[in-house]
Amino acid sequence: MMADLLRHLPLAAAFVLGACAASAAQSSASTPPTHAPAASLSASPTTLSPPVTTAADAERRVAPSGKARVTILARGANAFIARLEMDAGATVPEHRDATEEYIHVLQGSGTIVVDDQPFALAPGSTVYMPANAKVSYQNGDEPLVGLQVFSGPEPAAKYDGWTPEA
């Protein structure tokens, strides 16, 4: 599994760099960002992840349903990246996020609906969701693992309400 993550690291880095560039024009720096340990990250856009975070040391959170987990790999002022894991059959209800979102599927399959248009996902699929797109997801018969990137950290604040995992 770690080999899969490392194999897709260049793609994830490209997403993060693209997301940072896309949102750099939208950000305004009123206070300089600060670095904080992963365990003390908050939804504040001025609190950044440390310069390097290992997956083993990254903050993990569990959805209230217990059917999804995120490992927060990096949270900055202009982007967010996480490893997203969903149980077989899990769903994401219809919602909208304020910034662009990308998900690259490492394993698993399902159907994502973006602005009323369904798309089948399988390993190797990459999803782009524009800001404020209407999105829902139905996972398939096996667990899903993917890399998730937000082009701004605001939508990721929803994970602050999830339970920290030891």
Side-chain angles (χ1 to χ4, degrees):
M1 206 171 277
M2 185 57 134
D4 273 344
L5 185 59
L6 291 174
R7 188 175 82 227
H8 294 287
L9 196 53
L11 178 61
F15 282 148
V16 171
L17 290 173
C20 288
S23 61
Q26 298 172 3
S27 67
S28 62
S30 57
T31 45
T34 58
H35 295 283
S40 67
L41 293 176
S42 71
S44 168
T46 58
T47 302
L48 303 176
S49 294
V52 175
T53 302
T54 65
D57 293 332
E59 178 182 6
R60 292 180 49 87
R61 294 196 167 257
V62 179
S65 69
K67 295 182 179 190
R69 288 150 304 286
V70 291
T71 302
I72 300 171
L73 302 171
R75 185 187 313 218
N78 296 307
F80 169 94
I81 185 168
R83 178 185 168 101
L84 174 66
E85 300 172 52
M86 294 181 67
D87 293 348
T91 62
V92 175
E94 189 174 285
H95 68 286
R96 295 176 189 269
D97 287 316
T99 68
E100 293 178 335
E101 179 181 0
Y102 306 84
I103 294 179
H104 180 75
V105 179
L106 298 171
Q107 73 180 57
S109 62
T111 301
I112 192 163
V113 179
V114 180
D115 288 333
D116 299 319
Q117 192 171 8
F119 299 93
L121 298 183
S125 299
T126 301
V127 181
Y128 162 68
M129 292 158 271
N132 298 310
K134 182 170 62 169
V135 175
S136 62
Y137 179 72
Q138 175 63 54
N139 202 24
D141 294 335
E142 61 182 82
L144 175 99
V145 177
L147 292 175
Q148 178 183 39
V149 176
F150 288 111
S151 63
E154 297 86 2
K158 63 186 158 198
Y159 297 134
D160 293 335
W162 291 21
T163 305
E165 186 176 79

